Amino acid sequence: MMTQPNSYLKDVRNQYEDYPYPFRNPEDEKHRLGHTSPDRLSSIGHFLFNGKLKADENLSVLVAGGGTGDALVYLTEQLKNTQAKITYLDLSSTSMQVCKDRLVARGIDVNRVNWHHASILDIPKLKNFGPFDYINCSGVLHHLADPLEGLKALKSSLKPKGGMGIMVYAPYGRVAVYLMQDLMRRLNEGESDAQQRVENTKQVLSRLPQHHLFRTIQAGHLDINEYGDVGIYDLLLHSQDRAYSVADVYEWVEEQAGLKLVEFMGEGYATLTYDAKSYIGTKSDLLDKVASMSKKESAIVAELLHSQMMKHTFYVTQNTDDTVANVDDLDSVPFYNIIHSNLQTDEQNRKHYEQASNVELGKGFSVMNDNKARVGILVDKFSSKILGKVDGKRSLKEIYEAVQDIYASDAPSIEELHKSFKAMYMAGAGLQWILLSHKESNVLEHHK
């Protein structure tokens, strides 16, 4: 199915027709699969569906403002052997074609996806559209003239117990970006040719003083160094661009849109980045005060302490009940989660943690994410044996029973073993080194 866009935000639509973002070469799909946070099915299940998400014909997902297809490709690859319904929506036909070409390169039939050439703001008027269990909307809402209108449009197509993964820009880490945007608006005033605006920007970038604030991020910025003209335009010449602090996100999502913010996702899929305690030394007089903060206030303080966050990725839901998998449900299935993003495979992570069985009793080991946040995990007389049984297939109850079988006599009780696992699980929760699925779920069969 193909629908056509209305005329909203003509400049934005024209930009993505001429400069589809991010730049992607479909041929790369033959040897790589990009992961998009927070679109891993197992992570979606853990945070939004109590670990009980099922990848079957009843599952319906939407990639809203899908661009050149990072999220669409990743979700479709995970769901390619299921009957789940997958929908893509974007206002750029050029971007949509790149996305289709990427699926073809992966050997996936483009008819597997329902395609809509439309704006997010068109959603309430689209026929036979949704509702959806999960919606991805990454890097889109902050480019709308009225982001709240866009968020409410997405909400209108979400199932009552559905959830969304959203990314918007953050202000403090983009100070230098906004300085450059202001500069280029002034230098490009009166210039109607888009490519000439890009060339003017390149000239300025080549002549920036060494002390210029933008140089502190320029060297490692993908938009500048890998995406070429497309990246330069999106980063420095965009006609619609706003940023949200953590406090802004809470107000926007909960107070204005009437949704519930479930969790922020930091670098390497970790939530620790948004925990103020992770920035305060254990001997600090402030530790008790920070530890007593609400989750919201802790995240606000963490952003200020970090000072360089450039984006916020987070889960929201319409479900008023708790949606996060429950560690006290012994039918939960623990699995080792990605922590180093694309730098390590799950198999390597699994082996890494199984090595804990060789750790000297009482000394433990540490887990670290991409943002260099580290958590120490103390190994007691049971926990190392439990870790060695985590395989993404057995439930907690089955793992505990397998550990009990190790002992010839005087086996620990299920309660003792659970106390040991829960202590490890909670200690490392901020790094998401182990997440939970459920015996009712099949998403680990599609774990990529």
Side-chain angles (χ1 to χ4, degrees), residues 297-309:
E297 185 62 26
S298 178
I300 291 172
V301 170
E303 181 183 26
L304 295 170
L305 284 166
H306 186 289
S307 83
Q308 295 184 44
M309 293 180 186

Side-chain angles (χ1 to χ4, degrees), residues 25-43:
N25 180 355
E27 290 301 304
D28 291 341
E29 296 303 321
K30 295 178 179 179
H31 54 79
R32 65 178 289 276
L33 173 64
H35 290 221
T36 56
S37 174
D39 301 312
R40 203 171 197 211
L41 291 180
S42 53
S43 182

Side-chain angles (χ1 to χ4, degrees), residues 26-319:
E27 290 301 304
D28 291 341
E29 296 303 321
K30 295 178 179 179
H31 54 79
R32 65 178 289 276
L33 173 64
H35 290 221
T36 56
S37 174
D39 301 312
R40 203 171 197 211
L41 291 180
S42 53
S43 182
I44 294 168
H46 174 95
F47 285 103
L48 293 174
F49 296 94
N50 301 112
K52 299 178 181 179
L53 182 67
K54 292 183 180 179
D56 57 22
E57 67 277 4
N58 296 312
L59 178 64
S60 181
V61 303
L62 165 67
V63 180
T68 52
D70 285 2
L72 190 282
V73 169
Y74 184 41
L75 283 164
T76 304
E77 180 67 30
Q78 294 176 86
L79 293 168
K80 67 180 181 181
N81 294 320
T82 77
Q83 295 301 311
K85 303 173 186 66
I86 306 167
T87 301
Y88 167 103
L89 178 146
D90 199 89
L91 52 71
S92 166
S93 59
T94 308
S95 297
M96 184 186 295
Q97 188 58 54
V98 173
C99 186
K100 290 181 177 181
D101 291 343
R102 292 175 69 180
L103 291 184
V104 170
R106 299 195 71 82
I108 297 174
D109 185 353
V110 297
N111 294 318
R112 178 72 177 81
V113 177
N114 297 314
W115 303 94
H116 291 268
H117 182 205
S119 159
I120 286 173
L121 301 181
D122 293 327
I123 286 176
K125 298 178 289 186
L126 297 177
K127 295 181 180 179
N128 302 317
F129 192 81
F132 301 97
D133 295 287
Y134 176 72
I135 297 174
N136 162 282
C137 188
S138 179
V140 180
L141 293 170
H142 51 225
H143 289 318
L144 298 182
D146 186 350
L148 178 59
E149 183 183 0
L151 184 57
K152 287 182 175 179
L154 293 175
K155 179 184 176 182
S156 72
S157 67
L158 191 64
K159 290 183 181 179
K161 293 190 176 182
M164 293 190 273
I166 296 173
M167 185 277 278
V168 293
Y169 292 145
Y172 308 125
R174 286 175 63 87
V175 168
V177 171
Y178 293 127
L179 185 154
M180 286 294 297
Q181 285 186 4
D182 188 15
L183 172 62
M184 296 318 303
R185 272 192 295 269
R186 295 171 184 274
L187 292 179
N188 281 323
E189 186 175 1
E191 179 55 68
S192 59
D193 184 82
Q195 188 57 39
Q196 186 57 53
R197 292 198 294 271
V198 172
E199 296 304 321
N200 291 345
T201 306
K202 289 178 181 178
Q203 289 185 49
V204 171
L205 289 173
S206 68
R207 290 169 170 80
L208 284 179
Q210 290 299 318
H211 63 268
H212 196 281
L213 186 60
F214 189 74
R215 284 198 178 276
T216 63
I217 65 171
Q218 181 176 348
H221 212 292
L222 289 176
D223 283 327
I224 301 296
N225 299 302
E226 293 190 20
Y227 297 166
D229 292 358
V230 168
I232 289 174
Y233 205 109
D234 193 80
L235 184 69
L236 303 179
L237 299 173
H238 210 293
S239 60
Q240 293 281 345
D241 185 333
R242 67 152 297 173
Y244 289 80
S245 68
V246 167
D248 292 335
V249 169
Y250 269 102
E251 179 181 3
W252 178 50
V253 167
E254 297 195 340
E255 297 177 26
Q256 297 177 2
L259 293 159
K260 181 176 71 176
L261 198 153
V262 177
E263 192 64 82
F264 282 98
M265 309 292 287
E267 295 297 324
Y269 292 83
T271 61
L272 192 68
T273 314
Y274 290 86
D275 183 350
K277 296 192 301 296
S278 66
Y279 302 90
I280 302 295
T282 56
K283 296 181 180 180
S284 171
D285 294 336
L286 290 173
L287 185 59
D288 288 343
K289 183 173 184 177
V290 171
S292 67
M293 289 178 174
S294 67
K295 186 174 183 178
K296 174 182 175 180
E297 185 62 26
S298 178
I300 291 172
V301 170
E303 181 183 26
L304 295 170
L305 284 166
H306 186 289
S307 83
Q308 295 184 44
M309 293 180 186
M310 298 189 73
K311 62 183 179 181
H312 297 307
T313 302
F314 48 92
Y315 287 123
V316 303
T317 183
Q318 288 208 93
N319 194 343

Side-chain angles (χ1 to χ4, degrees), residues 253-438:
V253 167
E254 297 195 340
E255 297 177 26
Q256 297 177 2
L259 293 159
K260 181 176 71 176
L261 198 153
V262 177
E263 192 64 82
F264 282 98
M265 309 292 287
E267 295 297 324
Y269 292 83
T271 61
L272 192 68
T273 314
Y274 290 86
D275 183 350
K277 296 192 301 296
S278 66
Y279 302 90
I280 302 295
T282 56
K283 296 181 180 180
S284 171
D285 294 336
L286 290 173
L287 185 59
D288 288 343
K289 183 173 184 177
V290 171
S292 67
M293 289 178 174
S294 67
K295 186 174 183 178
K296 174 182 175 180
E297 185 62 26
S298 178
I300 291 172
V301 170
E303 181 183 26
L304 295 170
L305 284 166
H306 186 289
S307 83
Q308 295 184 44
M309 293 180 186
M310 298 189 73
K311 62 183 179 181
H312 297 307
T313 302
F314 48 92
Y315 287 123
V316 303
T317 183
Q318 288 208 93
N319 194 343
T320 57
D321 297 330
D322 187 6
T323 62
V324 180
N326 183 5
V327 68
D328 289 322
D329 182 349
L330 298 192
D331 283 334
S332 294
V333 177
F335 62 95
Y336 293 118
N337 192 38
I338 267 187
I339 26 179
H340 290 275
S341 190
N342 291 332
L343 301 182
Q344 282 191 324
T345 66
D346 287 325
E347 181 66 16
Q348 288 170 321
N349 281 329
R350 183 183 66 80
K351 290 179 179 178
H352 172 73
Y353 295 120
E354 285 184 349
Q355 291 173 359
S357 62
N358 298 317
V359 174
E360 185 177 343
L361 188 65
K363 287 194 174 182
F365 63 104
S366 63
V367 182
M368 184 173 67
N369 78 332
D370 288 347
N371 207 40
K372 302 300 185 289
R374 186 182 295 271
V375 168
I377 310 295
L378 184 65
V379 176
D380 64 20
K381 61 182 178 180
F382 303 132
S383 55
S384 62
K385 295 181 176 60
I386 294 171
L387 286 175
K389 301 295 182 182
V390 172
D391 58 6
K393 298 177 182 179
R394 287 179 280 202
S395 67
L396 287 173
K397 184 174 184 294
E398 291 167 334
I399 288 172
Y400 299 154
E401 290 172 345
V403 171
Q404 285 179 322
D405 291 341
I406 296 173
Y407 295 84
S409 60
D410 196 26
S413 67
I414 295 292
E415 291 73 21
E416 288 177 295
L417 293 172
H418 185 60
K419 181 180 179 181
S420 174
F421 174 80
K422 187 174 180 179
M424 284 189 300
Y425 175 81
M426 297 305 294
L431 284 173
Q432 299 177 36
W433 68 295
I434 287 182
L435 293 185
L436 301 172
S437 187
H438 196 273

